[in-house]
Amino acid sequence: MIRYYALSVLVFSVPTDVLAQEATFPFFPGEVIKPFNIQKYNKITSQVFDSSCGAASVANIISEYYRIPTNELVILANMNIHGDRSEYSFEDLRYGVEFHNLTPVYVATNYEALLELKIPVIAHLRLLDGNHFSVIRAVTENYIFLADPAWGNVKLTRTQFEEKWLSDTNEGHIMAIISENNINTSDEYFGLKNIDKSIYMIFHDFR
């Protein structure tokens, strides 16, 4: 049963094959440099289809935070979808969550409550081309850090995020994925102290 609760990037001129892998440079002796295109999608399940951001977000949390092997296609296959659909809801996503013996919890809440989060959650956003789902990895008073299946690791200002998240009632919707068993979660996946903040830049084109 589903429960509802109210509540100075450096640019290097390097061969293209280097851009797809880690590399070492003589002016950073002993350090391994990860190209930005790799860092941007670090720990992210990228969406394969135009409308599969929700399934990719679910797969992201389950595989990266709960360390349960899965992927977007597995989630889609278990979402009990009938007919040609261009958008999905939290209710659709729950089937992919429950397939992995986890519990989806839908929450209507505000930004202040997000500051108290202890686990990553999926936020429902409204972009210019329709509904969108993205994973919240960290929150501060002024910024929110997302693992987005389309855009990669992005940082939005609070204003940017609220414009796309809050409804007319000044509440936004999120879905938490809860484990009722003792699963060894990844401490590196959630929280401002744990994520690699160096890969995040203010993202102005999140529309």
Side-chain angles (χ1 to χ4, degrees):
M1 177 181 293
I2 302 302
R3 293 171 289 184
Y4 294 82
Y5 295 79
L7 309 164
S8 212
V9 174
L10 294 174
V11 178
F12 301 98
S13 177
V14 297
T16 55
D17 60 331
V18 173
L19 295 177
Q21 57 188 343
E22 295 180 354
T24 57
F25 293 88
F27 33 87
F28 292 123
E31 293 189 28
V32 175
I33 307 301
K34 291 184 178 181
F36 184 70
N37 65 323
I38 291 179
Q39 297 184 62
K40 182 176 177 60
Y41 289 93
N42 184 41
K43 296 184 180 297
I44 288 181
T45 298
S46 300
Q47 66 186 85
V48 176
F49 308 105
D50 290 343
S51 59
S52 60
C53 52
S57 294
V58 170
N60 197 341
I61 291 180
I62 293 177
S63 62
E64 295 293 343
Y65 183 67
Y66 286 111
R67 306 184 191 188
I68 300 173
T70 193
N71 58 57
E72 175 191 30
L73 298 180
V74 172
I75 303 301
L76 285 171
N78 289 278
M79 279 171 52
N80 196 30
I81 299 167
H82 301 284
D84 185 16
R85 301 273 298 279
S86 60
E87 292 188 344
Y88 306 114
S89 66
F90 280 146
E91 178 67 15
D92 296 316
L93 298 179
R94 78 177 180 92
Y95 295 100
V97 174
E98 292 173 344
F99 173 77
H100 292 85
N101 298 313
L102 299 167
T103 303
V105 179
Y106 308 158
V107 180
T109 188
N110 55 34
Y111 193 92
E112 282 70 26
L114 298 183
L115 295 169
E116 304 301 321
L117 285 174
K118 305 299 181 184
I119 62 172
V121 298
I122 299 173
H124 171 248
L125 306 175
R126 289 168 297 281
L127 304 187
L128 291 180
D129 58 353
N131 294 323
H132 185 65
F133 296 100
S134 190
V135 177
I136 298 176
R137 289 189 63 186
V139 188
T140 71
E141 287 284 353
N142 299 311
Y143 299 101
I144 193 158
F145 297 77
L146 304 177
D148 191 85
W151 301 97
N153 288 300
V154 298
K155 178 172 71 171
L156 304 182
T157 66
R158 175 172 178 169
T159 299
Q160 283 178 309
F161 178 75
E162 288 187 325
E163 286 176 349
K164 297 164 179 62
W165 180 59
L166 293 178
S167 66
D168 294 338
T169 61
N170 286 323
E171 287 185 319
H173 293 86
I174 60 174
M175 183 175 77
I177 297 176
I178 307 298
S179 171
E180 298 180 0
N181 300 313
N182 187 19
I183 296 180
N184 184 23
T185 57
S186 171
D187 292 335
E188 297 179 355
Y189 189 75
F190 182 77
L192 195 62
K193 293 181 180 179
N194 301 323
I195 64 174
D196 183 2
K197 295 182 289 296
S198 68
I199 66 176
Y200 288 87
M201 296 185 297
I202 291 293
F203 197 67
H204 297 289
D205 296 326
F206 201 87
R207 297 173 293 181

